[in-house]
Amino acid sequence: MYQLNFTHPEHIYFIGIGGISMSGLAEILLEKGFTVSGSDAKKSSLTEHLAGRGALIHYGQRAENISGDIDLVVYTSAIHPDNPEFAAMKKAGIPSLTRAQLLGQLMKDYALPVAVSGTHGKTTTTSMISEILLKADTDPTLSIGGILKAIGGNFRIGHSDLFVSEACEYTNSFLSFFPKVGIILNVEEDHLDFFKDIDDILHSFHQFAKLIPNDGVLIINGEIPGADVILKDLSCRVVTFGGTAKYDYFPKQISCDENGHARFVLVNKDSEKPVSLGVPGIHNIYNALAAIALADVLSVDFSVVRSALSEFHGTERRFEYKGMMNGTTIIDDYAHHPTEITATLTAAINYPHKSLWCVFQPHTYTRTKALMKDFAKALSAAQNVVLADIFPARETDDLGISSKNLQDEIKPLNPNCYYFSSFEDIENFLKENCSPGDLLITMGAGNVVNIGENLLRQ
């Protein structure tokens, strides 16, 4: 594997430089004195920002973009061998790294790298941690899978030994990392276009945990089914969190305020401390427990932790308030797995509203097919469900399924389920049927956010 030397900056080319993670990595390398160039399909605020920092950006991916002065090419799992730039790189014999491999090498440049993993909650937990570390004046470097207002983007370049990043399990990319502290929030079936089954996924999380050195720490949700598989043969210290006194950190006296924000009493080592979150949803208590446990590992004063958690109001696309349409509140959320949908809709129950509308855009054919019945059960909790077409992302085979199949599964559970093949039809239906006081959530990992934004512009 190609090894970067951070004392001798080179010319790095990113295929897909405008992605949320790739753009952050490009920015970090620019800060470290590297020459950065890359390509993306279209102009965005992220690519324009990089161009303003000195990166050369090509719009459209073409073989001629791969010039002879490039020392290393970085690409993501979405790039296929027939990509013209990837093919040109191979033909020219230019070394390459995946996005995850580059992130792993960056981790090695810091004395205290922290990797936040799990099927759900990575972005929110990493953001909570970021708010805590910023308030504690630790000057961390941060890489987040969403936009955090406190840092004006998805990354921050600090000058301390702390580096905090999300660690995604898809294609085993997190196995390229070098964490000193690892966090595992939860483990469920997902990404079944890559993993065979839950046992395969648990094995990967075990391998991730094994990356933590003897003097490192694993912070893990002790309630994960199969946690014993993950924890076997580990040499590092293990800290657990969960819902009962079995675990090192657990909550009691859970309640919600008038906006659905969770409140609880944190119990750890016979101490009890009240905590109020600035984000809705009981599921965020578990994310907060992980963040609190890490803060303790890093010896952050609890008064700082408590203040940061109360002032943290979420990241972009995580129960994000978008605006009002004729008295209807519009929220957007990234949930694209049944467990995430359940968490979001449960949070909505405690949010002020008359009737709850959920506009859901399934994400990938493989996930929709594998978890069809689970999706139906989760979505049926909303009073009204509106389905958009499946967002294929990286997939080209529709596996013979569509959102109409999902509607057929939901209808016996909730007759108020509607399917439309275009965003325009969905928007017209919502304008005619939503009432003042209703809560409308656009939900999914694709471009469903556009529906709410279009409604607010009309």
Side-chain angles (χ1 to χ4, degrees):
M1 183 192 301
Y2 190 85
Q3 297 294 318
L4 283 176
N5 184 341
F6 290 98
T7 62
H8 292 85
E10 299 175 301
H11 181 182
I12 314 296
Y13 188 92
F14 289 80
I15 304 178
I17 197 169
I20 192 76
S21 178
M22 293 280 270
S23 61
L25 293 174
E27 176 97 11
I28 291 172
L29 290 179
L30 282 167
E31 181 72 15
K32 290 180 178 291
F34 285 73
T35 299
V36 171
S37 61
S39 63
D40 215 273
K42 58 184 179 181
K43 186 177 294 188
S44 69
S45 59
L46 293 173
T47 59
E48 289 191 302
H49 175 75
L50 289 172
R53 291 292 310 274
L56 173 64
I57 311 294
H58 301 281
Y59 295 104
Q61 294 176 349
R62 296 176 291 272
E64 54 265 32
N65 293 340
I66 305 300
S67 56
D69 61 333
I70 294 170
D71 297 299
L72 175 72
V73 172
V74 180
Y75 62 96
T76 70
S77 57
I79 301 301
H80 299 292
D82 59 355
N83 178 283
E85 293 183 352
F86 187 89
M89 168 201 81
K90 287 291 188 183
K91 184 177 180 180
I94 299 173
S96 64
L97 291 174
T98 65
R99 180 202 64 85
Q101 288 169 338
L102 173 60
L103 184 51
Q105 291 202 21
L106 274 171
M107 281 187 172
K108 289 198 293 185
D109 200 41
Y110 293 81
L112 192 48
V114 178
V116 182
S117 73
T119 309
H120 323 292
K122 292 184 292 293
T123 296
T124 297
T125 305
T126 305
S127 298
M128 286 179 172
I129 291 166
S130 299
E131 293 275 5
I132 291 168
L133 296 180
L134 291 170
K135 199 168 190 66
D137 294 325
T138 60
D139 195 18
T141 295
L142 307 169
S143 177
I144 307 169
I147 303 300
L148 181 63
K149 290 179 182 176
I151 60 175
N154 65 307
F155 62 91
R156 177 189 189 272
I157 300 167
H159 300 90
S160 71
D161 289 336
L162 266 171
F163 182 92
V164 182
S165 175
E166 292 185 34
C168 181
E169 75 275 18
Y170 184 58
T171 68
N172 281 330
S173 63
F174 64 175
L175 300 187
S176 297
F177 293 178
F178 298 90
K180 183 71 173 288
V181 181
I183 297 175
I184 301 179
L185 299 167
N186 40 64
V187 178
E188 290 194 51
E189 282 189 318
D190 199 11
H191 301 303
L192 295 175
D193 56 330
F194 176 77
F195 295 110
K196 295 193 292 289
D197 51 30
I198 188 62
D199 291 334
D200 191 22
I201 297 170
L202 284 167
H203 173 73
S204 286
F205 275 92
H206 173 60
Q207 295 301 113
F208 169 73
K210 293 277 282 185
L211 296 172
I212 301 169
N214 296 355
D215 59 345
V217 182
L218 173 66
I219 299 168
I220 185 170
N221 178 351
E223 296 180 346
I224 294 172
D228 55 328
V229 173
I230 299 172
L231 295 173
K232 68 181 180 183
D233 304 327
L234 296 187
S235 58
C236 64
R237 179 160 72 98
V238 176
V239 175
T240 62
F241 63 92
T244 70
K246 286 176 57 178
Y247 307 107
D248 297 319
Y249 294 80
F250 68 96
K252 69 177 190 178
Q253 299 178 24
I254 295 171
S255 63
C256 293
D257 67 15
E258 64 276 8
N259 293 312
H261 299 166
R263 296 170 173 170
F264 63 97
V265 172
L266 169 73
V267 184
N268 169 244
K269 296 179 180 176
D270 299 323
S271 71
E272 298 187 3
K273 301 166 184 172
V275 177
S276 296
L277 301 184
V279 287
I282 299 300
H283 64 285
N284 275 316
I285 291 176
Y286 277 69
N287 296 333
L289 291 175
I292 292 167
L294 174 65
D296 277 357
V297 168
L298 301 178
S299 301
V300 177
D301 187 86
F302 185 75
S303 63
V304 174
V305 176
R306 178 159 46 201
S307 177
L309 289 175
S310 67
E311 295 170 10
F312 170 64
H313 299 297
T315 53
E316 194 173 277
R317 299 221 62 207
R318 272 70 178 178
F319 213 92
E320 180 189 9
Y321 173 81
K322 302 295 289 187
M324 299 288 289
M325 174 196 71
N326 299 326
T328 295
T329 302
I330 298 179
I331 299 287
D332 181 62
D333 196 89
Y334 193 69
H336 55 284
H337 183 281
T339 300
E340 297 166 354
I341 293 167
T342 297
T344 299
L345 295 181
T346 301
I349 291 172
N350 294 304
Y351 194 91
H353 70 279
K354 290 181 179 177
S355 186
L356 174 60
W357 293 79
C358 178
V359 181
F360 180 64
Q361 181 187 46
H363 191 261
T364 73
Y365 299 109
T366 51
R367 181 183 287 117
T368 307
K369 183 175 182 179
L371 304 175
M372 181 78 72
K373 292 188 182 298
D374 294 327
F375 275 119
K377 182 179 178 181
L379 288 164
S380 65
Q383 282 105 326
N384 306 279
V385 183
V386 181
L387 298 176
D389 277 333
I390 296 171
F391 189 86
R394 55 192 171 266
E395 298 179 346
T396 56
D397 184 356
D398 66 11
L399 305 177
I401 65 164
S402 72
S403 290
K404 184 66 173 64
N405 299 114
L406 181 54
Q407 183 192 30
D408 292 341
E409 289 284 344
I410 295 173
K411 278 279 192 180
L413 304 173
N414 183 345
N416 300 320
C417 181
Y418 313 90
Y419 161 66
F420 299 96
S421 60
S422 75
F423 280 10
E424 183 180 3
D425 288 343
I426 291 174
E427 291 160 19
N428 289 333
F429 176 78
L430 294 171
K431 282 190 293 184
E432 292 173 6
N433 290 279
C434 289
S435 301
D438 286 356
L439 175 61
L440 168 63
I441 303 179
T442 55
M443 186 182 292
N447 59 349
V448 67
V449 60
N450 294 344
I451 291 174
E453 292 179 348
N454 289 341
L455 289 169
L456 291 170
R457 280 193 290 266
Q458 294 175 17

